[in-house]
């Protein structure tokens, strides 16, 4: 199994909460620096620094961590969520766009009745679309 891992720069906990609210993410596990055994080299990290987490977003496993010193800026990789209805697409797009940046507004394209591309406030790239009938 290949699991995408998204590295946040100190705001992973906030991102997990955001994805729970916006995308109904299911949190399977979270390991914080405060949970590490003594002598593991994590003593200098903030207690709520996410060492590892596993969440399920729209049926796909993701690992989210606070393992980056730099904010996410790469637009070469995005995650596409294919919904069954236009209402679901609109709701997800609108919520992901808050504090983020719309790359392509929601519109009809030849492969979908409704498609959009947004970079959320954490710098993660999302494409959302309705399943082609």
């Amino acid at each position: 199994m290949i699991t995408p891992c998204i590295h946040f720069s100190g705001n992973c906990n906030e991102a997990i909460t955001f994805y729970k609210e916006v995308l109904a993410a299911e949190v399977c596990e979270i390991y914080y620096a405060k949970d590490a055994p003594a002598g593991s080299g994590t003593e200098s990290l903030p207690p709520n620094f996410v060492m590892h987490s596993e969440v399920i977003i729209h049926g796909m496993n993701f690992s989210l961590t606070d393992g980056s010193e730099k904010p996410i800026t790469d637009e070469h990789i995005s995650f596409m969520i294919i919904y069954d209805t236009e209402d679901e697409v609109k709701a997800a797009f609108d919520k992901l766009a808050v504090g983020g940046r719309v790359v392509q507004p929601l519109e009809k394209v030849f492969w979908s009745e409704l498609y959009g591309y947004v970079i959320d406030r954490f710098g993660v790239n999302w494409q959302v679309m309705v399943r082609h009938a």
Side-chain angles (χ1 to χ4, degrees):
M1 170 172 48
I2 295 175
T3 302
C5 183
I6 303 173
H7 295 256
F8 296 87
S9 54
N11 56 354
C12 184
N13 232 10
E14 182 184 344
I16 291 170
T17 300
F18 179 72
Y19 297 136
K20 282 173 54 178
E21 294 170 6
V22 171
L23 300 174
E26 175 189 339
V27 178
C28 301
E29 59 188 20
I30 301 177
Y31 296 96
Y32 297 100
K34 66 184 175 189
D35 301 323
S40 63
T42 61
E43 294 79 13
S44 65
L45 296 173
N48 286 332
F49 185 95
V50 177
M51 302 299 295
H52 170 77
S53 72
E54 182 183 342
V55 300
I56 300 172
I57 300 173
H58 206 70
M60 183 172 180
N61 287 41
F62 284 81
S63 175
L64 308 179
T65 180
D66 270 325
S68 177
E69 293 179 8
K70 299 177 183 176
I72 299 168
T73 58
D74 192 347
E75 293 184 26
H76 290 96
I77 296 176
S78 63
F79 301 104
M80 180 176 285
I81 303 175
I82 302 172
Y83 289 98
D84 292 325
T85 70
E86 289 185 18
D87 287 342
E88 291 173 306
V89 171
K90 289 175 186 172
F93 185 87
D94 290 345
K95 291 174 185 174
L96 288 167
V98 173
R101 180 170 64 89
V102 173
V103 176
Q104 181 171 341
L106 288 174
E107 63 185 355
K108 181 177 179 172
V109 291
F110 73 89
W111 65 87
S112 175
E113 290 297 312
L114 191 62
Y115 166 87
Y117 189 131
V118 64
I119 301 173
D120 72 22
R121 69 183 194 209
F122 300 101
V124 178
N125 299 277
W126 297 96
Q127 296 180 65
V128 293
M129 64 179 267
V130 69
R131 184 175 310 283
H132 192 279

